[in-house]
Amino acid sequence: MLSALKFKLQCVLAPKPSHPILLDYQQAALALTLKPSDQQGAKQSQLQLCLRELPLMAIDLETTGLDPNTEQIVSIGLVPIYGAEIPLAKAQHRTVAINGGVGNSATFHGLSDSALAKGMALDEAMAWFITESRGHILVAHNAPLDLGFIQVQFERLYQSPCPLPFIDTLAIAKRRWLSQHSVLKQDCLRLDACRKRHGLPTYAAHSAQIDALACAELLVAQMAAIAGKDKLSPWQLLQFA
């Protein structure tokens, strides 16, 4: 969790992407964090509002492994969150064609080589991701892993990093767990385990879109548990990398 001042400093000092597409993408996200004086007379910064009023986008990636430098993205799921509502009609996912075969990773994501052969090219998938998530704060369970893959692809496709604000539901769950227990219990931070503690059901199916939806529902439940009906400060949840 960042203080308002530290977060603002990180936004100001963040490396600016050299590619115009990523520069626009970063600025759209950082615009949510600027004060009125930073926006040259804008009426009110969105970050001064309740976090529930910010446009959020839950994301999930299915990959061939855990190392973003050597493994590949096979599927991307996106689910928007507006307030405490999740518009299911706007949930989306795309499969991504990869180099080579999925190997043993199919055991985890369930996607076959033939299914991925019909997927989008990686550059098209990333362009789609940028278009659909632009102007949103990204949300993920174990966000550094998913965003690590995204950042590696930004570097490969656009030759530029793109530091962004984000919310990590796993980090929130860990902080809340350790406020009540002295040590972490095995698997207590898994997405299903976190959902169970908030009375949310387990989804039988598994995909990037379903996991993004599960993450979105978890965040809504976490926000309610942390703040109840009161306004929730963004500084309680936002991170930056």
Side-chain angles (χ1 to χ4, degrees), residues 11 21 53 55 65 92 101 104 108-109 114 145 150 155 165 171 205 222 225:
C11 290
I21 290 176
E53 297 172 305
Q92 304 180 68
N104 293 333
F108 300 97
H109 53 66
S114 58
L145 178 62
I150 294 296
E155 290 272 9
Q222 288 175 326

Side-chain angles (χ1 to χ4, degrees), residues 164-217:
L164 296 166
F166 66 90
I167 294 172
D168 184 3
T169 52
L170 185 150
I172 298 170
K174 180 178 180 179
R175 190 160 61 243
R176 287 177 56 78
W177 178 277
L178 291 176
S179 70
Q180 303 171 27
H181 307 82
S182 58
V183 295
L184 292 172
K185 183 179 178 182
Q186 184 176 4
D187 295 332
C188 70
L189 300 181
R190 293 179 64 87
L191 181 56
D192 283 347
C194 294
R195 286 173 56 84
K196 185 176 181 180
R197 289 196 293 275
H198 288 278
L200 298 170
T202 298
Y203 285 113
H206 172 70
S207 70
Q209 181 173 317
I210 290 174
D211 286 354
L213 173 60
C215 174
E217 292 174 338

Side-chain angles (χ1 to χ4, degrees), residues 76 122-130 150 153-154 157-158:
I76 306 173
L122 180 59
D123 57 345
E124 295 175 345
M126 292 305 297
W128 168 80
F129 169 82
I130 289 171
I150 294 296
Q153 297 312 318
F154 282 166
L157 296 172
Y158 302 105

Side-chain angles (χ1 to χ4, degrees), residues 62 74-75 94-96 102-103 105-116:
E62 298 296 331
V74 299
S75 183
R94 295 291 187 273
T95 54
V96 183
V102 294
S105 68
T107 304
F108 300 97
H109 53 66
L111 294 169
S112 65
D113 291 340
S114 58
L116 293 182

